[in-house]
Amino acid sequence: MELLSSTKTFGGWLKRYRHASTSVKGDMVFSIFLPPQAETKKVPVLYWLSGLTCTDENFTQKAGAFKKAAQLGLAIVCPDTSPRGTDYPNEHDSYDFGSGAGFYINATVEPYAQSYNMYDYVVDELPALISEHFRVNDKKSISGHSMGGHGALICALKNPNTYQSVSAFAPITNPTNCAWGKKVFTGYLGEDESSWQQWDATCLIQHATQRLELFVDQGDADDFLSKQLKPESLVKACFKNDHPINLRMQSGYDHSYYFIASFIDEHLDYHFDALK
């Protein structure tokens, strides 16, 4: 791994690395916050997945999470949102497909299938790398925002007993039924819509074997709420399948990092309680 930067904050260290990834067959960048407790013992990890157009740096610069993480003794890992350095057809033409829009799935349509395997990267490759190189224990949780909230939910639902807890801010809960999801699923997975369901949290609920609570915060002033995020679809699926969910509709909040920064401490407390 190549260390790109190292910054001390709240007694811990925010470090940014580049490494060669076998999942995406190219270089990937991630950030990791190591709390001061990691100097002397292994600490639990929260994986944070960011949204459309983002990199690892959106969370590290805007969420305001590190003071609470340092107090708790919680490491936070922030991967990038898609492969970089490729030049596939239509990859850089729009904000909601291709670069910056990996959607945390494994593509099956060429040429995207060669590199767009963010699910494998987040679930398998990156945790193995973190475990090998940093003082962390085997307890991990996952969270994210928007596209990253979708990613957090599907990673938890598809991997029972892997994560101690899961939460999301304004997640895309039913991508098979919204414009963002239909666009990327067609491009990455093809026209067969039945193959899309394995990457949709609302569809996965009926197959969930672990009753891990879904903790979701959603702003009611979010411009994407009704057409793209559709939290009511997830709630309905959870109710139908007796799956625990705690959806909090936050009055006046939008889709921005101001919303995330307002409630991130509560999410960190929630995850740390589970990770203990």
Side-chain angles (χ1 to χ4, degrees), residues 42-118:
K42 291 184 176 183
V43 297
V45 186
L46 175 67
Y47 286 84
W48 172 270
L49 308 184
S50 289
L52 288 167
T53 75
C54 292
T55 68
D56 58 295
E57 291 188 296
N58 292 76
F59 181 86
T60 61
Q61 295 175 0
K62 298 178 180 180
F66 300 138
K67 181 177 182 179
K68 170 62 74 170
Q71 292 170 349
L72 295 173
L74 179 64
I76 304 177
V77 174
C78 305
D80 202 348
T81 52
S82 69
R84 307 287 175 173
T86 53
D87 194 22
Y88 300 136
N90 307 314
E91 185 182 14
H92 311 304
D93 293 348
S94 59
Y95 80 97
D96 55 356
F97 182 82
S99 53
F103 252 76
Y104 306 103
I105 68 174
N106 289 337
T108 56
V109 171
E110 295 294 343
Y112 288 93
Q114 299 175 33
S115 301
Y116 275 68
N117 300 301
M118 289 300 296

Side-chain angles (χ1 to χ4, degrees), residues 125-273:
E125 183 179 0
L126 184 57
L129 192 73
I130 297 299
S131 200
E132 178 183 356
H133 290 280
F134 301 99
R135 192 175 281 124
V136 298
N137 61 34
D138 60 353
K139 302 293 185 182
K140 57 181 180 287
S141 293
I142 193 164
S143 185
H145 170 231
S146 194
M147 177 185 74
H150 143 80
L153 293 174
I154 65 168
C155 286
L157 290 168
K158 290 169 71 69
N159 296 276
N161 304 312
T162 296
Y163 302 98
Q164 304 301 118
S165 53
V166 58
S167 76
F169 288 84
I172 304 170
T173 67
N174 193 195
T176 60
N177 193 34
C178 75
W180 281 341
K182 290 179 178 179
K183 180 176 181 176
V184 298
F185 285 179
T186 301
Y188 298 152
L189 303 173
E191 299 287 347
D192 181 6
E193 295 187 15
S194 64
S195 69
W196 301 358
Q197 295 182 9
Q198 64 178 308
W199 306 109
D200 184 312
T202 297
C203 299
L204 288 170
I205 287 294
Q206 62 182 309
H207 306 295
T209 58
Q210 180 190 15
R211 291 295 182 259
L212 187 66
E213 181 184 60
L214 311 182
F215 177 30
V216 178
D217 267 329
Q218 172 65 61
D220 69 4
D222 192 319
D223 289 341
F224 304 111
L225 178 57
S226 61
K227 292 185 178 180
Q228 302 285 10
L229 307 179
K230 300 179 181 292
E232 70 281 355
S233 297
L234 183 63
V235 171
K236 184 177 179 180
C238 287
F239 181 78
K240 181 178 179 180
N241 293 277
D242 194 27
H243 194 103
I245 183 170
N246 179 13
L247 171 66
R248 307 193 307 183
M249 295 299 298
Q250 303 291 3
S251 177
Y253 285 91
D254 60 15
H255 199 70
S256 71
Y257 263 83
Y258 294 110
F259 166 49
I260 295 169
S262 298
F263 299 102
I264 190 64
D265 282 5
E266 294 177 38
H267 282 245
L268 297 182
D269 279 330
Y270 175 80
H271 290 296
F272 191 72
D273 283 344

Side-chain angles (χ1 to χ4, degrees), residues 3-18:
L3 179 63
L4 301 178
S5 64
S6 181
T7 305
K8 191 165 188 178
T9 180
F10 295 108
W13 289 92
L14 176 63
K15 296 176 181 286
R16 197 166 187 244
Y17 290 90
R18 179 188 293 120

